[in-house]
């Protein structure tokens, strides 16, 4: 079970490299090949960040397109709310740590170097590249 940081979702949408690790992760998420957690707070973050003017210009999605994407993500997610608080190295990511603390078997996929360097205990944090490499080596 995985947890996708907002930076992975955004990067997967704006990447021009269709072979990039973030595109691979987002495709797995959209294609229902990935079991992932989603909470109201994380969904709100996805929505807010994807609607930032600079990102709107980069990904080119309309508000309706974003709504459809988020609806699809909700429909395929394991909806969970954290039962405990979490203190992440970056206070803005406390909700991710709370989800990891509540669901310690979950693995956070993030490009945030601070989160990668200081993973919670228990819990696991991996980069999109590492996820892709693990997934591809497991499918051989």
């Amino acid at each position: 079970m995985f947890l996708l940081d907002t930076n992975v979702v955004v990067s997967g949408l704006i990447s021009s490299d269709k072979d990039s690790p973030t595109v691979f992760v987002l495709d797995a998420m959209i294609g229902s090949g990935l079991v992932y957690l989603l909470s109201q707070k994380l969904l709100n973050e996805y929505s807010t960040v994807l609607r930032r003017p600079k990102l709107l210009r980069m990904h080119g999605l309309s508000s309706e397109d974003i709504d459809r994407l988020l609806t699809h993500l909700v429909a395929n997610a394991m909806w969970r709310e954290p039962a405990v608080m979490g203190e992440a190295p970056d206070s803005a990511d406390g909700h991710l740590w709370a989800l990891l603390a509540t669901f310690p078997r979950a693995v956070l996929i993030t490009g945030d170097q601070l989160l990668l360097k200081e993973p919670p205990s228990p819990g696991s944090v991996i980069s999109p590249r590492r996820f892709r490499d693990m997934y591809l080596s497991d499918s051989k």
Side-chain angles (χ1 to χ4, degrees):
M1 163 173 35
F2 294 92
L3 181 58
L4 285 289
D5 197 349
T6 305
N7 62 59
V8 175
V9 174
V10 170
S11 181
L13 282 173
I14 65 173
S15 179
S16 60
D17 178 3
K18 299 305 173 200
D19 293 324
S20 78
T22 56
V23 170
F24 182 88
V25 173
L26 185 61
D27 284 351
M29 192 179 188
I30 291 171
S32 305
L34 185 65
V35 177
Y36 58 93
L37 297 175
L38 196 56
S39 68
Q40 187 64 57
K41 187 165 183 159
L42 187 55
L43 177 65
N44 291 346
E45 182 176 311
Y46 287 177
S47 179
T48 300
V49 172
L50 289 172
R51 294 174 200 282
R52 288 180 181 163
K54 180 178 179 181
L55 289 176
L56 284 170
R57 288 189 299 276
M58 293 175 80
H59 59 58
L61 299 176
S62 68
S63 186
E64 294 79 19
D65 292 334
I66 294 170
D67 288 343
R68 278 191 289 279
L69 171 66
L70 296 175
T71 298
H72 182 80
L73 295 181
V74 168
N76 290 302
M78 292 179 61
W79 193 263
R80 299 290 190 266
E81 295 297 335
V84 298
M85 296 301 294
E87 288 192 36
D90 178 348
S91 61
D93 291 315
H95 63 286
L96 296 173
W97 254 231
L99 282 164
L100 289 172
T102 303
F103 305 97
R105 291 180 34 200
V107 176
L108 172 64
I109 303 173
T110 184
D112 186 322
Q113 292 303 306
L114 182 59
L115 301 182
L116 287 163
K117 288 179 185 173
E118 298 181 38
S121 180
S124 204
V125 181
I126 62 173
S127 69
R129 180 173 307 282
R130 182 158 176 239
F131 170 80
R132 183 190 65 186
D133 293 348
M134 287 172 24
Y135 184 89
L136 291 176
S137 69
D138 285 347
S139 65
K140 290 182 180 178

